[in-house]
Amino acid sequence: MPSLLPKLPSRGEKACESPGPPANGYTFLPWLLMGTGAVLDVAKGKVEYPWLGGLGILAFVVLYANVAFRALDKQRREERATLVLLGALAAVTYALGLGYGGVWLLFFPLLSLTCGAAVRDKRLGYVILVLAVSVGAISGLRTGDPWSNMTIAYGTFMSGMVIAALLSLSDTIRELRDTRQELARTAVEKERLRFSRDLHDLLGHTLSVIVVKSEAARRIARRDLEAALGQVADIESVGRQALTEIREAVTGYREGSLATELDRARSALSAAEVEPVVRQSGPPLPAQAEALLGWVVREAVTNVVRHSAASRCEIVVDGSPERVTLKITDNGKGAPAAPAPAPRIGGTGLKGLTERLAAAGGSLTAGPAPRTGFQVTAELPVDPQDSALDAELTTTTQAGRPTEVPAAQAG
């Protein structure tokens, strides 16, 4: 027998990987004590052919242990050999019950126990019901009174159903634990992706502006020191603002403002000697739409300053109550003639923005402009309820502020 059983795990081994009872097949072995009465009958010679009864008990124990251990291993449970062993166990159980009756019928609850562990589909209810009815019928045939020993039928039914419920609960707990771990991993991956995108967009734009303004300060320092100092002051301001935005990005509370990004775009384009043309029309936008479009403006203007060699950049925001469209067009050299293998929509920044807008129900396209240069187009749906909520929050905030009274009136 010891060679037929798997090695018992040491104390605490994989305890966290097996939540809920039973932890392993050894949990089933103590139930074999229900066959003690049959063993005593064989030992005292109270049955015909004791040696045959002893062989039957030995066969039952071996088959029971193997089926029990196989039933708790998903891969082995689904093997055909498990069903064959379970069928052999059922045959031995029926043979012992029909041949000897009495306490030998207690092997039926053990058979029901293994069926509850090994059969994990809709057939289980029918199998256990057949076993309960069978042991009741056999008991009635042996005693002549069908109702004399119905407790065995009830015990047979309950043992199979209870072990099936316990194993189902254990599997559910395990699946919930795995799902929780997977959700935790997904949350970490999403946060890493958000952080990497924010840093890319923030630092890429900020460093580009700093480089452009530094070059402008170096060019004009000799002929106009005051203007050069103004550019240096802008560099300091941009650096301080970048530090603030990075802190906000780390904590996850950064909300971009489209108007702010448009002002920064004008400043960055002018410093790079690119003529900015900004036009905006339509109703006020919800905060989420403004934040997403602000990211698009930041990334697209950064690319214009870095790569386009353009002399003019046009930014058009056209909004309606249902949808808003943002187009950023330059008259530069456009896309490279033979681009390297890369995402169709552009680099890392545009790819990340495409995913962000898609998650909000919008879209982002980038490619050659109709005439010359390069064009980035972003479209977003506008939810009127979001706009109404933003307006209500703004009104509430303004109403909560103290009203300033002019000094003349106060006097």
Side-chain angles (χ1 to χ4, degrees), residues 32-42 46-47 57 60 93 96-110 135 139 142-143 149 152:
L32 288 172
L33 294 175
M34 294 179 64
T36 302
V39 174
L40 292 176
D41 284 351
V42 171
K46 292 183 178 181
V47 294
I57 293 175
F60 181 91
T93 304
L96 295 176
L98 289 170
Y100 297 107
V103 295
W104 295 74
L105 295 177
L106 292 175
F107 287 118
F108 274 89
L110 297 179
V135 71
S139 176
R142 297 290 302 183
T143 61
N149 205 5
I152 295 181

Side-chain angles (χ1 to χ4, degrees), residues 1 5 25-33 61 64-65 68-69:
M1 280 294 294
L5 302 178
Y26 288 92
T27 311
F28 287 86
L29 298 185
W31 293 100
L32 288 172
L33 294 175
V61 171
Y64 174 88
F69 280 99

Side-chain angles (χ1 to χ4, degrees), residues 311-333:
S311 60
R312 187 174 186 272
C313 179
E314 183 177 356
I315 304 174
V316 179
V317 182
D318 185 12
S320 68
E322 295 81 19
R323 199 166 189 85
V324 59
T325 303
L326 168 66
K327 291 184 179 180
I328 303 174
T329 310
D330 66 72
N331 63 348
K333 59 184 180 181

Side-chain angles (χ1 to χ4, degrees), residues 41-123:
D41 284 351
V42 171
K44 295 178 179 180
K46 292 183 178 181
V47 294
E48 297 180 359
Y49 307 109
W51 60 271
L52 185 59
L55 289 177
I57 293 175
L58 180 61
F60 181 91
V61 171
V62 173
L63 292 171
Y64 174 88
N66 277 274
V67 173
F69 280 99
R70 281 179 166 272
L72 296 182
D73 186 330
K74 183 177 180 180
Q75 182 177 358
R76 299 177 67 192
R77 181 174 66 244
E78 296 175 352
E79 294 177 356
R80 185 178 180 83
T82 302
L83 292 179
V84 173
L85 291 173
L86 186 61
L89 179 64
V92 172
T93 304
Y94 274 93
L96 295 176
L98 289 170
Y100 297 107
V103 295
W104 295 74
L105 295 177
L106 292 175
F107 287 118
F108 274 89
L110 297 179
L111 173 61
S112 179
L113 202 70
T114 56
C115 288
V119 181
R120 303 288 184 91
D121 51 33
K122 296 180 180 180
R123 299 174 297 175

